[in-house]
Amino acid sequence: MERIRIKDIARLADVSVGTVDRVLHGRSGVSEASKQKVKNILKQLDYQPNMYASALASNKKYTFACLLPQHEASEYWTDVETGIHKAIDTYSDFNIEALISHYDPYDYHSFAEAANALLTPSPDGVLLAPTAPQFTCPLTKELTRRAIPYIYIDSNIKEQPALAFFGQDSHRSGFFAARMLMLLAGEGAREIAIFRKINEGIVGSNQQERREIGFREYMQRHHPHCQIRELDLHAKRDTEDTQMLDEFFAQHPTLKNGITFNSKAYIIGEYLQKKGMTDFNLMGYDLLQRNVACLKQGSIFFLIAQQPVLQGFNGIKTLCEHLILKKDAPGEYFMPIDLLTKENIDFYYNSSVWSQPELAKTLLSM
């Protein structure tokens, strides 16, 4: 079949080549009558434009706003930002940029302020880690009103669905974590601990709350007589952690198993090392350097990973494909629930898609 040229479409529609070009690229300056004639011909010919070439030729600049929680270097969100930057480099031919801003995950007003600032430059697309639904929805409703596509990472808000979501199924992850912890604890376990980081009643992540819901559901269903102890550490007063942990373990001397649903399992892991508590089974989330060090030294038994680099990368990739290449978005895309121990952690790093050039190249071409 011969390639359909723009001048062929113009001839059949009885309009100029410039008119066809403007219709194909969604530009203004075309009458409704001419636009409809061109669209009718395109439909008759089943014309499929080369969106990649068109995007390169358009020379349009795309700005993606990314709203993430505040974090220190080498924490979970650092890896998400790494993925964002990898995607920007990969799709640099399309003249894209990412404007990354941050909010305090323990302060809902901080999210609202950052959300308002995000809207000022009128971005072409938005990638965000949502906070509580009642504070996230004003932003997403305004984005919808402005026809700006947005993508969730880390946690999902089903009441206000995004173009796509990249992250774990938090509820299922918590359910799975409970099952693994109880395999460690054994059938005779009568108590386990949940450790949290909280500031003025705010956990700091929808995902953590949903993990705990899934965890408790498993415990209620399969171990209803196992008592769940709780310790809320101060999210913004780390200096008090040791004293609070001392008091907690003094009150519960027979406690041997526990979990934290945030990414700072190392706080408890490093405490256990200092106290020589080698018989406590701790489970946590995410491959922070200090978490991995505790895993290798034995003060954390299990870590659950969720590929944050890939979440950040896929978020930008999807915005590019949706806005520039006109591809359909994947909807909900759940990351695997990877269970890691000191025996397999090095293999997991070595098998990472980013450490394998050929596999990474395949991923980027998808």
Side-chain angles (χ1 to χ4, degrees):
M1 181 177 179
E2 286 189 31
R3 183 170 65 88
I4 301 169
R5 298 167 298 181
I6 289 181
K7 69 178 184 179
D8 298 323
I9 298 169
R11 177 176 53 79
L12 292 169
D14 194 23
V15 297
S16 69
V17 168
T19 295
V20 175
D21 184 72
R22 284 191 287 274
V23 172
L24 287 174
H25 294 94
R27 300 192 185 102
S28 59
V30 182
S31 69
E32 282 301 317
S34 295
K35 185 185 295 183
Q36 195 57 52
K37 284 199 288 186
V38 172
K39 287 184 174 180
N40 289 340
I41 295 301
L42 293 175
K43 186 175 181 180
Q44 291 174 26
L45 297 175
D46 192 25
Y47 178 74
Q48 300 294 326
N50 185 335
M51 300 309 300
Y52 191 94
S54 298
L56 292 179
S58 73
N59 204 32
K60 172 178 167 55
K61 185 171 185 177
Y62 293 87
T63 298
F64 300 139
C66 306
L67 183 54
L68 307 176
Q70 294 170 356
H71 57 278
E72 297 177 6
S74 301
E75 291 191 349
Y76 173 82
W77 294 104
T78 304
D79 286 340
V80 172
E81 291 191 7
T82 296
I84 289 171
H85 291 305
K86 285 180 182 291
I88 294 297
D89 290 341
T90 300
Y91 293 94
S92 59
D93 286 350
F94 294 137
N95 199 19
I96 63 174
E97 67 172 350
L99 302 179
I100 301 177
S101 56
H102 303 92
Y103 65 92
D104 183 344
Y106 299 102
D107 182 353
Y108 294 138
H109 298 295
S110 172
F111 181 90
E113 291 170 2
N116 287 333
L118 173 153
L119 293 167
T120 301
S122 296
D124 297 285
V126 172
L127 177 70
L128 73 146
T131 185
Q134 63 268 37
F135 294 94
T136 301
C137 287
L139 169 61
T140 54
K141 287 178 180 177
E142 179 61 19
L143 291 172
T144 300
R145 189 186 72 79
R146 298 190 188 191
I148 299 174
Y150 59 92
I151 288 175
Y152 295 138
I153 58 172
D154 189 59
S155 59
N156 198 8
I157 298 181
K158 293 181 181 289
E159 310 93 278
Q160 192 74 23
L163 176 69
F165 162 69
F166 295 98
Q168 282 185 345
D169 182 326
S170 303
H171 184 274
R172 185 173 297 181
S173 173
F175 195 92
F176 171 79
R179 183 178 182 188
M180 293 300 101
L181 185 61
M182 294 312 292
L183 285 176
L184 268 180
E187 286 298 323
R190 308 311 300 169
E191 58 181 351
I192 60 169
I194 290 178
F195 302 98
R196 306 187 192 91
K197 273 282 190 179
I198 285 185
N199 183 63
E200 296 181 356
I202 300 175
V203 174
S205 166
N206 303 333
Q207 189 187 64
Q208 292 175 44
E209 293 179 349
R210 290 170 183 167
R211 285 171 181 166
E212 184 170 334
I213 290 170
F215 184 94
R216 287 180 178 277
E217 182 178 311
Y218 179 90
M219 294 301 296
Q220 182 59 39
R221 188 181 302 180
H222 299 284
H223 301 275
H225 302 298
C226 183
Q227 188 167 3
I228 298 177
R229 311 286 187 187
E230 303 175 23
L231 176 62
D232 292 340
L233 299 168
H234 294 303
K236 297 190 175 184
R237 300 204 298 271
D238 292 350
T239 55
E240 298 178 14
D241 288 345
T242 298
Q243 180 181 345
M244 294 180 72
L245 286 165
D246 281 343
E247 293 173 356
F248 181 74
F249 282 109
Q251 292 169 8
H252 309 290
T254 60
L255 188 64
K256 300 300 178 186
N257 302 280
I259 187 169
T260 179
F261 299 110
N262 61 49
S263 61
K264 296 187 177 182
Y266 65 81
I267 291 173
I268 297 98
E270 290 172 357
Y271 171 88
L272 296 174
Q273 288 178 31
K274 289 176 184 176
K275 299 296 181 177
M277 298 171 62
T278 58
D279 58 347
F280 189 89
N281 296 315
L282 176 64
M283 191 168 182
Y285 280 79
D286 301 322
L287 304 188
L288 278 65
Q289 292 177 5
R290 291 168 74 176
N291 282 352
V292 172
C294 288
L295 185 74
K296 289 185 173 183
Q297 292 163 19
S299 59
I300 294 177
F301 198 95
F302 283 141
L303 280 176
I304 293 180
Q306 52 181 334
Q307 302 185 13
V309 174
L310 203 52
Q311 289 186 47
F313 182 92
N314 280 341
I316 297 298
K317 173 177 181 279
T318 300
L319 285 174
C320 284
E321 293 184 342
H322 173 74
L323 287 167
I324 304 171
L325 303 180
K326 311 304 179 187
K327 290 187 177 181
D328 293 334
E332 289 184 326
Y333 187 96
F334 292 116
M335 310 307 293
I337 302 173
D338 296 325
L339 186 68
L340 304 176
T341 68
K342 64 181 179 182
E343 288 80 16
N344 68 356
I345 182 66
D346 289 330
F347 172 79
Y348 184 82
Y349 275 131
N350 293 336
S351 65
S352 166
V353 65
W354 304 111
S355 68
Q356 302 179 66
E358 290 307 313
L359 186 55
K361 195 179 298 180
T362 300
L363 173 69
L364 301 184
S365 66
M366 289 172 61

